[in-house]
Amino acid sequence: MVSIIQKAVLCPNFNKLREEKIMETVQRAEPKNVNDSRRRIAQLNDQFRMTGVGGKIVLTQGVANLGEDMVFKIILALRGYADWGEENDPWGEHDFGVITLAEARKVYFKIDYYDARMEYGSEDPSDPEKTTRVLTLMLPEEY
């Protein structure tokens, strides 16, 4: 059985050109003081957020209770997210954001880094062989 997260991540209606434009914007918007490791982490986080490859996506109870249709919209918005700035991305890693849906509901997302066995924190989040990413979708009151 395919989960709602898998359906949204694999949605064929998502505009491929928009993904390319987002990647161009992300690359141009990187702060000049971000080192190579952080730049690589941001690239891996963007890839994971857009495709779901390289980790796991988890929902808090509050997000799950919104229902399948809303979760589908949230995942699609997550894939297209490109609102990076000093306020939500001071380290330039693209690991936290706030999605605002048309319904004026806000959902936070946060990416954490674990080792490949998911027992400890990753020793090097810039190395996908050593890291499993976990993206958590949560309501602001659950943060």
Side-chain angles (χ1 to χ4, degrees), residues 49-96:
R49 187 177 38 75
M50 290 179 185
T51 67
V53 175
K56 299 175 184 295
I57 299 174
V58 296
L59 312 175
T60 61
Q61 189 66 47
V63 172
N65 287 342
L66 297 175
E68 280 192 19
D69 289 343
M70 185 61 76
V71 171
F72 189 80
K73 289 178 185 178
I74 292 167
I75 298 292
L76 290 179
L78 175 70
R79 289 180 63 192
Y81 187 85
D83 190 22
W84 307 111
E86 278 296 315
E87 316 78 50
N88 68 343
D89 194 33
W91 301 108
E93 294 182 357
H94 298 185
D95 62 350
F96 177 85

Side-chain angles (χ1 to χ4, degrees), residues 120-131:
Y120 305 101
S122 174
E123 65 183 54
D124 182 6
S126 68
D127 184 347
E129 298 299 318
K130 296 179 179 177
T131 306

Side-chain angles (χ1 to χ4, degrees), residues 8 11-12 17 23 28 30 47 56 78 84 90 102 122 130 136:
C11 180
L17 293 175
M23 288 308 294
R28 276 184 277 140
E30 286 181 357
Q47 176 186 338
K56 299 175 184 295
L78 175 70
W84 307 111
S122 174
K130 296 179 179 177
T136 304

Side-chain angles (χ1 to χ4, degrees), residues 4-21:
I4 188 67
I5 293 173
Q6 291 168 320
K7 287 179 189 175
V9 168
L10 300 173
C11 180
N13 296 329
F14 193 77
N15 187 337
K16 196 77 166 155
L17 293 175
R18 184 168 182 215
E19 284 184 16
E20 291 170 9
K21 184 173 175 82

